[in-house]
Amino acid sequence: MDDGFLMEVCVDSVESAVNAERGAAPVPPAGLLQVVKQCVRVPVFVMIRPRGGDFLYSDREVEVMKADIRLAKLHGADGLVFGALTEDGRIDTELCTALLAVCRPLPVTFHRAFDMVHDPVVALETLISLGFERVLTSGCDSSALEGLSLIKRLAEQAKGRIVVVPGGGITERNLQRILEGSTASEFHCSARSARDSGMKFRNPNVAMGASFSAPEYSIKVADVAKVRTLNAIAKNIL
């Protein structure tokens, strides 16, 4: 943040976290967090997400979220990231209030569950009243570039009461347009590249997941060069 902006890189491995730090960007399960905290010095925000799919959680999933928050705090998380909605597409204020209480005193970001709300203007005011410090959004569209106009309107609505963070499909090709169009001082990206697996024996007939999942022998990791390029672009603009 010393350069007037904050770049957040989404990571899901120690290698990605280290590469994100080497590229000069702050980065966001207990084992991964423990090792990441040993390897990097930048702030680490942990996303609390008990499963894929929607953001309507059962009582048991809520217990998992609370347990994950406690573990994240125990192992040195600098902040938490979560989101929860009601069945009619509104912010689940009751659940968010309960989870925020477990998260404190750490800062909390409401993630892109925001992009699935029924009314983003009303939802933003709800997040502000609940006490979230940040909200990550693609402007309720397929990418931050597509949702740029709404992101700008949300930032104007926020008036400094909450930080609106553009995220979703941000690359070195569109970052300048997104930052200039949204007036944001923070942004979220993955900055990943594919790296071939070190496996020599490979079984091409088995996929460890959905039929449309990523190839088993290709690993996505944060790319130092991409992180540095995005960092340089933001520094030049902001």
Side-chain angles (χ1 to χ4, degrees):
M1 202 65 186
D2 292 342
D3 296 304
F5 69 92
L6 189 149
M7 175 180 177
E8 178 179 81
V9 178
C10 178
V11 305
D12 56 6
S13 69
V14 175
E15 181 180 0
S16 286
V18 172
N19 285 350
E21 182 182 49
R22 287 174 60 196
V27 295
L32 175 61
L33 175 59
Q34 274 186 284
V35 179
V36 167
K37 287 293 291 185
Q38 294 168 8
C39 296
V40 303
R41 292 172 294 174
V42 293
V44 179
F45 278 52
V46 177
M47 184 165 73
I48 305 301
R49 181 88 159 103
R51 57 162 172 77
D54 63 34
F55 304 100
L56 180 66
Y57 296 116
S58 69
D59 290 343
R60 287 184 176 178
E61 288 168 341
V62 170
E63 290 308 307
V64 171
M65 296 172 81
K66 289 179 178 179
D68 284 343
I69 291 169
R70 294 188 186 101
L71 285 171
K73 292 173 68 176
L74 178 65
H75 294 296
D78 298 290
L80 286 306
V81 182
F82 70 81
L85 304 178
T86 61
E87 62 183 9
D88 57 353
R90 289 171 170 76
I91 305 297
D92 189 331
T93 56
E94 183 178 352
L95 176 52
C96 285
T97 298
L99 293 177
L100 281 166
V102 183
C103 291
R104 297 309 186 196
L106 298 182
V108 186
T109 299
F110 194 93
H111 61 41
R112 285 189 60 201
F114 183 87
D115 292 322
M116 307 301 284
V117 299
H118 178 264
D119 187 331
V121 171
V122 172
L124 187 67
E125 292 300 325
T126 301
L127 295 184
I128 292 169
S129 68
L130 289 172
F132 282 89
E133 281 80 8
R134 302 162 78 234
V135 55
L136 174 63
T137 178
S138 63
C140 300
D141 215 318
S142 57
S143 71
L145 185 60
E146 296 294 326
L148 187 56
S149 61
L150 178 58
I151 294 173
K152 183 179 181 181
R153 292 201 302 274
L154 291 171
E156 292 170 347
Q157 176 188 342
K159 296 179 181 177
R161 295 175 294 164
I162 190 172
V163 179
V164 177
V165 184
I170 292 181
T171 69
E172 58 269 30
R173 294 185 298 276
N174 60 28
L175 177 59
Q176 180 173 349
R177 183 175 171 187
I178 290 169
L179 290 181
E180 291 178 343
S182 66
T183 67
S185 59
E186 301 186 18
F187 64 98
H188 174 99
C189 60
S190 63
R192 292 177 180 169
S193 290
R195 174 171 58 79
D196 192 46
S197 165
M199 289 291 297
K200 290 187 168 41
F201 172 76
R202 304 185 179 192
N203 183 350
N205 300 315
V206 179
M208 295 296 161
S211 58
F212 296 106
S213 63
E216 305 303 331
Y217 301 104
S218 178
I219 302 169
K220 293 277 191 176
V221 295
D223 186 312
V224 175
K226 287 188 176 183
V227 173
R228 286 177 176 166
T229 298
L230 289 164
N231 190 51
I233 292 171
K235 187 180 296 186
N236 184 57
I237 296 170
L238 301 173

